[in-house]
Amino acid sequence: MAWDLFLWIVSFFVSLALVASVFYQVICLTDLEADYLNPFETSTRINRLVIPEFILQGSLCLLFLLTWHWVFFLVAVPVTVYHAMLYKERRYLIDVTEVFRGISFEKKLRYTKLGFYVFLFIMVVFSDQIATQEGLRPNPRELSSLITSQTPYDPIRTGSDHLTNR
């Protein structure tokens, strides 16, 4: 039970990092569109985060697979496969010279990934909450053994006769 709680805590922080990373990428693209950043700065900032995002997403998907959380694995695998396809075709970096031509597509892609990561984050938070509640709940067998092993209250043995009004 403790491993399950540890899994959900790790998944919580990884999915939070993924949400923050993609949100930062959306902000960079919006700043480029509003002419607050130049194309070189924008592509440098976004390209620096792409490979860590792929690694975190792939490791989260692999973690779900290895711990037999099939629903979470099946939710996470499409984005992982898409990332693997982008990496294999070498289309994962934003080109400085082509950034304005593809800004609409890149923003839509980032918004879609942001929605996906927020959805995954909500799923992880609920599962984390359930694992925490189950981890705090005592085992019924242990609870019944505790109840049956206790002796009834006897004021003579405890020496607290002075507490009763007789």
Side-chain angles (χ1 to χ4, degrees), residues 2-16 60 63 121 124-125 127-129 131-132:
W3 288 108
D4 203 34
L5 182 60
F6 179 72
L7 162 79
W8 294 120
I9 291 172
V10 168
S11 300
F12 172 81
F13 286 113
V14 169
S15 58
L16 184 66
L60 187 65
L63 182 68
F121 179 73
V124 165
V125 166
S127 296
D128 187 20
Q129 184 66 30
T132 303

Side-chain angles (χ1 to χ4, degrees), residues 47-128:
N47 290 342
R48 186 176 29 188
L49 296 174
V50 171
I51 296 296
E53 176 192 348
F54 287 7
I55 291 170
L56 282 176
Q57 172 64 28
S59 63
L60 187 65
C61 187
L62 185 66
L63 182 68
F64 289 146
L65 176 66
L66 294 177
T67 56
W68 294 43
H69 289 88
W70 296 109
V71 173
F72 288 91
F73 171 71
L74 291 175
V75 168
V77 78
V79 174
T80 306
V81 169
Y82 179 71
H83 286 167
M85 181 195 68
L86 285 178
Y87 186 78
K88 188 178 118 184
E89 296 174 0
R90 298 192 179 272
R91 293 187 303 135
Y92 58 94
L93 297 177
I94 294 180
D95 188 18
V96 176
T97 58
E98 301 288 327
V99 69
F100 279 115
R101 189 172 299 156
I103 195 167
S104 176
F105 173 75
E106 291 292 336
K107 280 182 70 173
K108 287 177 187 175
L109 175 69
R110 293 324 193 267
Y111 277 127
T112 304
K113 283 170 51 172
L114 182 64
F116 170 77
Y117 287 143
V118 167
F119 175 71
L120 187 66
F121 179 73
I122 290 171
M123 286 178 56
V124 165
V125 166
F126 280 124
S127 296
D128 187 20

Side-chain angles (χ1 to χ4, degrees), residues 27-47 94-97 99-100 103:
I27 288 175
C28 286
L29 288 171
T30 305
D31 286 348
L32 174 68
E33 199 173 43
D35 209 24
Y36 292 127
L37 291 175
N38 63 31
F40 180 75
E41 284 181 61
T42 302
S43 61
T44 303
R45 289 180 182 186
I46 291 175
N47 290 342
I94 294 180
D95 188 18
V96 176
T97 58
V99 69
F100 279 115
I103 195 167

Side-chain angles (χ1 to χ4, degrees), residues 151-164:
T151 57
Y153 177 71
D154 188 7
I156 297 173
R157 285 188 176 168
T158 59
S160 56
D161 286 331
H162 62 281
L163 297 176
T164 57

